[in-house]
Amino acid sequence: MRTGIFGSSLLAVALLLLGCDKTKDNQDQAGVALEDMQWSDEATHQLTEALAQRAAHGLDQKDFGLGGSGEKADKTQLTKAALAYAQALARGATDPTKLYEIYTVPRPSPDLRAGLAQALREGKVGAWLASLAPQDASYRKLSETYLALRKQGNGASTEIPATSAPLKPGESDPRIPAIARQLVATGYLDKANASTDTRYTPAIAAAVRAMQADYGIATDGVIGDDALKIINLSDADRARAIAVTMERMRWLERTPPATRIDVNIAAARQSYWRDGKLADVRRVIVGEPDHETPMLGSPIYRLVANPTWTVPRSIEEKELAGKGADYLRRNNMARKDGWIVQQPGPKNSLGLVKFDMKNDHAIYLHDTPAKQLFDDVQRQRSHGCVRVQDALGFADMIARDEGVTAEWQKARETGKESFVPLPREIPVRLLYQTVIFDDAGDPVVRDDPYGWNNSVAAALGFGSGSERRVRGDRGDIGP
């Protein structure tokens, strides 16, 4: 299913890069064969210059087939290298549908062969290649930061050094400001409580204990080797995370729908865009490790008031095994046609509203009775669906913007499961980005809760990074 939309184009690119496509397939829309594309000395120089600058896209660990021999390469070698690099810039150097079991977020699909042929005719190979990567300010900032980190990696490091003695609350240490900054960046410490001196304050200790709990180590507030490894990020770790983030941005359409909902699974945050403007940002709860929320492109097509919840077999067999009739009754559950169904009400695991989405994976947005979980820093707590903070407020916002407020209020008042179709579907993108931007617009490296950066980083030519995984199996029975 995931390769159905893009399968033929991906196959063509794969055959092209392997050099084994047939002559009749080696033609662009203008009928130019691969080996017949005309390379002038100037075009060759532009290509080699562009490849020499590939670190600006976090692609310096990859070889696109020329090395330093661009001036000596024949036309076919030049064309293959140019198309391989163009593919990396335009759609990514990796294929997310091969890296992940589920990936259905829409991707760009430009005709690169025709684009290269035109660039060669116009003598603008360098400008054409530069135009293929994302052009927004966020991508440029990531590029600048990556280049600075790679340069800095050859000199002084910003990594917080380890010492032989653990750091205990109340002590003083010159590393405290750097530790506080990283705790602020990862959401454990309010900026107002970040220490600018060297004292290990109670506020910082509380932040460290919360972090320790999330990662399953002793919650004593002592910064020893284990805690420091979680807090710490080397320049190489930061550069690796930023390169992966740029790659994931290249997977995405350059002009996303003006009205959409984007969920960053890694950061557990949701952004609602309306007519090209950011209208709302709120926290969400996403799948815990081993019950990961997949990367989907899937629209909301209706609001469901007072939803029922049909318990999936996997949850029934694992979470409800051995639960008796008393448990089902207390939680307003009953068997119906062989399934356990939870009736509408305040204890329903879907809360009071469900945002129905079209996909084959039973993934959707919804409310939850477990409001306290939104206060957690690490909000990977569900079985894969996305729980929305103040979901009723968000549903009211959607209903207002879509002109169905009256229908929505009437549906809510019934107290029964009721459906309110939206006049137009709202696209939802479930994304995974471990780098976010702070109030100053600077990139901040956050956790990689699912370890999903590793496969992308390896495909880009990076080595292993620091293992910073949150503790799993902390959620409730809800979806």
Side-chain angles (χ1 to χ4, degrees), residues 27 85 111 129 136 144 146 175 229 287 312 333 340 379 417 429 464 467:
Q27 298 185 1
Y85 190 45
D111 189 335
L129 288 169
D136 58 277
E144 294 168 2
Y146 180 82
R175 298 171 295 169
K229 286 177 182 177
M333 294 177 171
I340 295 177
R379 295 186 295 281
E417 186 172 57
R429 303 190 302 176
S464 300
E467 284 295 326

Side-chain angles (χ1 to χ4, degrees), residues 211-212 215 217-218 222-232:
M211 179 200 72
Q212 290 170 325
Y215 286 85
I217 61 178
V222 175
I223 303 177
D225 289 342
D226 289 342
L228 192 59
K229 286 177 182 177
I230 299 168
I231 296 171
N232 221 347

